[in-house]
Amino acid sequence: MEITTDDYRIYFEEANKTLYFRGFLRLEGMKEYQPIMNTMLEILADCSELIINLEGLEFLNSSGISMLSMFVMKVRGKEGASLAFRGSKNILWQTKSLRNLQRLMPGLTLEFI
């Protein structure tokens, strides 16, 4: 699975069960984020463990952060699912917003590199 535009790239590496986000993601509203959300849910349906690597995602607008929150809320009710987020300690939006995801799902693993 891969989505590539001039502004961002999202791709999944099955070998390490990691979904990578790179670039600047500023889609308009939840409707435009829905295909990304669906892809994330499809990946998690095929494997019970998923790492979302955001280290290379320099910007994510509020709709994108809402999409991540909705994704976490959907996953937290899924029995046996393991979810981890990997962010950059040098990107301000990540250090502020990703901690809120952990509040939604206390079992979520959060790592800043």
Side-chain angles (χ1 to χ4, degrees):
M1 168 265 139
E2 181 166 336
I3 302 171
T4 302
T5 72
D6 290 340
D7 294 329
Y8 65 88
R9 179 177 178 221
I10 301 170
Y11 60 100
F12 181 63
E13 287 186 357
E14 191 170 346
N16 55 16
K17 300 178 180 175
T18 302
L19 183 65
Y20 294 89
F21 287 73
R22 302 283 184 255
F24 297 85
L25 194 49
R26 48 184 153 223
L27 302 176
E28 302 247 350
M30 284 303 299
K31 188 174 180 178
E32 289 193 16
Y33 277 102
Q34 193 61 49
I36 295 172
M37 164 85 94
N38 292 343
T39 298
M40 294 165 67
L41 290 170
E42 287 172 14
I43 290 170
L44 198 56
D46 292 338
C47 62
S48 60
E49 181 181 336
L50 179 62
I51 299 168
I52 298 178
N53 187 318
L54 302 170
E55 288 177 81
L57 189 63
E58 296 182 42
F59 180 81
L60 182 66
N61 65 6
S62 60
S63 294
I65 292 169
S66 294
M67 182 267 304
L68 291 179
S69 297
M70 290 177 63
F71 173 71
V72 167
M73 290 172 39
K74 286 183 183 246
V75 171
R76 74 178 176 187
K78 185 176 177 183
E79 191 172 323
S82 173
L83 185 60
F85 279 83
R86 188 169 293 152
S88 170
K89 61 184 176 187
N90 297 319
I91 300 176
L92 186 60
W93 77 264
Q94 293 184 12
T95 57
K96 285 184 159 187
S97 299
L98 294 182
R99 293 191 196 288
N100 290 331
L101 299 178
Q102 200 168 36
R103 289 187 185 114
L104 294 172
M105 183 179 174
L108 180 149
T109 302
L110 184 58
E111 178 183 15
F112 290 101
I113 297 173

